[in-house]
Amino acid sequence: MKQKSQLASLGLFDAKVPRYTSYPTAPHFAGGVNASVFSGWLRDIAPGSQISLYVHVPFCRRLCWFCACRTQGTQSDAPVRAYLDTLKAEIALLKSHLPEGVSLSRLHWGGGTPTLLSADMIRELAAAQADLAPWALGTKFSVEIDPNECDAARLDALAEAGMNRASIGVQDFDTTIQNAIGRLQSYELTHETFEMLRARGIHSINADILFGLPHQTPERITDSAQKLLSLSPDRVALFGYAHVPWMARRQTMIPTDTLPTPENRLDLFDTARRLFLWDGYREIGIDHFARPDDSLVKAQTSGRLKRNFQGYTEDPADVLIGIGASAISRFPQGYAQNAPGTADHARAIATGQFATARGHVFQGEDKLRGRMIESLMCDFRISAEDILGKFQISAQWLRDVLEQTARAFPNMVELSQEGLSIPERARPLTRMIARSLDAYEVNQAGHSSAI
């Protein structure tokens, strides 16, 4: 109770803070990064280097009420077919701009619902992707899979394409909660999908589960977590549901009075967290768990863990290129985001131009502060040796910044000659502590709560 009181006094249950999958965060992207800038950044990629690719498929057969992602519903394959043709043209355009010898390090299809594509469409997209560049040694190819929108034919096509990692959204197995969030997905169907994947040699499976959902209680999340553990996923992402109906109108279908209080959200997180730890999973950052032999654990142990728009990653590539409407690319020079609407995206690609609509060019202390924030999000510490070795700053400047953070969170961070660290008792505050290093004004209305 004392710990919860301390966390409350520091604003944990009231603050609106980013998830820090980028720095600066996407709401701070602006104009000035266009197709010409994007093309220039592509030309600057070193020949023979590794890059990663993200392909966004925004379509869903049904729009789940809890989701705040940029998606659109369709009952017809016609818009999906047209979008696929645009993706293929965009990939071909990208190929014409890439330097020689580039290989693919990580591939990820997200959405939306990538498995809404038919088996033949999956093969077409995979063929375009394969024609773009060869795979690097140890490439990981992951796809977000909706058990409600998947079958043997589509999984066969994905396995043939080389998919070796799958991500399955679970959210919660309780039917009362599923009805409240507009997402019906039985345990039996999810189990069948796990089995179908493993039968095709896909043994690296990630599952997403949410806390903070309507009608959710410790007893209900315990039951859902135990059912999920019976499927033995390799990784689990335990995300907090962000209720932002002013951004995602579909969330107005979820009555606010059915949501747990911020204090209860913390209890829900702790309940699920303990179950995953008791089952032998290792904690990765603020919201991921992985089996001890998983590559994320190895990356965390060796200090190679990173954070990007898909969450935590061990991806060694410095360049991530986003394909599709609203997709975001990351370069050493900054971020570039495609036009969010499928029509605007398609019009740009049809003219032979990239669909870059906005972004951010790194400037000033961006990379320095981004590294410090990523260190907190991944390792719960900022190493003075690491920061001073990577950036041309004085030890006094760093000391002053870390001391300012320590003063803002009394007794919640530990300061030493080695740097700053967050003890386990204060880790629910990690995103808030990271925000204290954010030089950009946080848009309070546009971000989820800290828990």
Side-chain angles (χ1 to χ4, degrees), residues 65-66 180-181 214 241 243 250-259:
W65 302 336
F66 72 91
I181 64 175
Y241 165 62
H243 192 61
R250 71 190 76 165
Q251 290 187 354
T252 58
M253 301 290 290
I254 300 176
T256 303
D257 60 5
T258 65
L259 298 172

Side-chain angles (χ1 to χ4, degrees), residues 19 22 24 32 55 57 101 113 155 202 220-221 246 248 277 324 388 406 451:
R19 296 187 185 277
S22 70
V55 180
V57 180
T113 309
L155 290 180
I202 315 301
R220 282 174 166 161
I221 202 170
W246 56 88
L277 295 179
L388 294 174
I451 281 294

